[in-house]
Amino acid sequence: MILTVTPNPSLDRTARLAELRRGEVNRAEAVRLDPGGKGVNVARALAAAGTPTVALLPAGGVVGERLADLLAPEGVPVVAVPIGGTTRSNITLVEADGTTTKINEPGPEISPAELAALERRAVELAGRADWLVCCGSLPAGVPDDFYARLTGLAREAGAKVAVDSSGAPLAAACASGPDLLKPNLDELTELAGRPLPLLGDVVAFCRELISGGVGRVLVSLGARGAVLVEDTATHHALGPLVAVRSTVGAGDAALAGFLHAGGTGPRALRTAVAYGTAAVTQEGSRMPAPEDVHPDQVRVLDADPTFTLSGAAA
């Protein structure tokens, strides 16, 4: 079982329009509503693939109730920790050429008692999980070391830990030695504190993280695929060219595919890129179903250190 923890879930409203014109009235061609938040998306993709999963999240107000209602038809078991604030709503604008603009609310403030309850439930469920997956941003009231704390507690409970976050929470988590980090290129560059224009630069920094105690690093590179850096091997995978409908949740789908396929090695990397590729062909933040995913179309290569990443979408 794979447990996802999403401290800042959301209700995602996606509007499709021909072109976004700033300062003008824009009329949407279509609108869809999806449960959102990185860990929620990972759980949705896993459930669609038939992998047992549980989504743990704080939920408050009418939006929090609606979020759980939307996950039920997708077969995602939800463990909701009640909070006094209201779960956030996010807006995504997708233009005809695939350009995606996201407007994310900051989310409600989590009280110390609510945070303690969330942590307690995470540790309880981790005792029955193979993986605990810490995903996304942290709302107000949650300290930057929350994922680092969960990493230590979950590993004591017997679960492996994956972290997909950014900024200070990601940096703090690295010191706790998670089994897997899953940043995109922008997040990894911020963590490195220096430009990473070539694949060799990415691999070198990932090796620094592994030397510091991280188990392995899966870096999503947008249209340039993904790279997996492990203790003894490095692989780069490239998916086929597809028509992009929305990039929202593509990295989350990739992480789900990687864990679904075992969480290590070139087969898992191939599946991750296949899931990420399938995700960008979906409307809004819809997660791909197994029939959408084509690992046979993904090429897994030795990592070429001169491969250029400048301009790669995150």
Side-chain angles (χ1 to χ4, degrees):
M1 189 269 283
I2 297 175
L3 169 66
T4 68
V5 181
T6 311
N8 206 9
S10 62
L11 196 61
D12 286 354
R13 184 180 299 276
T14 302
R16 178 170 289 278
L17 59 160
E19 181 184 0
L20 176 62
R21 295 185 175 89
R22 294 182 60 195
E24 300 182 22
V25 174
N26 291 267
R27 301 192 184 279
E29 299 171 350
V31 177
R32 63 174 292 127
L33 198 62
D34 292 290
K38 295 182 73 64
V40 169
N41 289 336
V42 171
R44 293 167 66 204
L46 288 170
T51 298
T53 185
V54 172
L56 173 64
L57 47 89
V62 174
V63 177
E65 294 176 4
R66 182 68 173 134
L67 182 61
D69 290 342
L70 288 171
L71 285 170
E74 297 193 36
V76 179
V78 176
V79 175
V81 174
I83 60 172
T86 298
T87 301
R88 64 180 177 155
S89 297
N90 294 335
I91 299 172
T92 302
L93 305 175
V94 181
E95 300 175 63
D97 64 357
T99 300
T100 302
T101 303
K102 288 207 71 177
I103 304 171
N104 288 350
E105 295 183 5
E109 183 166 356
I110 306 296
S111 72
E114 292 164 348
L115 182 61
L118 182 65
E119 183 176 295
R120 184 167 58 252
R121 292 296 277 146
V123 174
E124 290 171 1
L125 292 167
R128 306 195 297 272
D130 298 294
W131 283 89
L132 180 143
V133 186
C134 301
C135 288
S137 62
L138 300 179
V142 180
D144 290 339
D145 67 350
F146 181 65
Y147 289 151
R149 282 180 50 79
L150 281 188
T151 296
L153 294 169
R155 295 185 71 175
E156 288 176 8
K160 296 187 287 292
V161 179
V163 177
D164 183 358
S165 189
S166 60
L170 178 63
C174 289
S176 64
D179 299 274
L180 171 67
L181 284 187
K182 201 306 205 149
N184 62 32
L185 180 58
D186 285 346
E187 292 160 349
L188 190 75
T189 300
E190 181 184 16
L191 183 64
R194 62 179 187 267
L196 302 173
L198 301 176
L199 190 60
D201 299 319
V202 168
V203 171
F205 180 60
C206 289
R207 292 249 166 253
E208 292 179 28
L209 295 173
I210 290 172
S211 297
V214 173
R216 57 187 55 83
V217 188
L218 171 65
V219 186
S220 55
L221 304 170
R224 288 166 173 78
V227 63
L228 173 64
V229 183
E230 299 184 294
D231 188 39
T232 58
T234 300
H235 300 284
H236 179 206
L238 289 168
L241 293 175
V242 296
V244 176
R245 303 182 78 177
S246 173
T247 58
V248 179
D252 309 330
L255 176 55
F258 188 75
L259 297 174
H260 171 67
T264 184
R267 175 177 173 270
L269 174 62
R270 184 189 303 274
T271 307
V273 172
Y275 264 81
T277 301
V280 302
T281 68
Q282 309 300 310
E283 291 279 1
S285 58
R286 178 178 177 268
M287 289 293 103
E291 59 267 23
D292 302 317
V293 181
H294 303 287
D296 57 302
Q297 297 179 4
V298 176
R299 294 178 294 149
V300 177
L301 316 165
D302 292 333
D304 176 0
T306 66
F307 187 88
T308 301
L309 301 175
S310 58

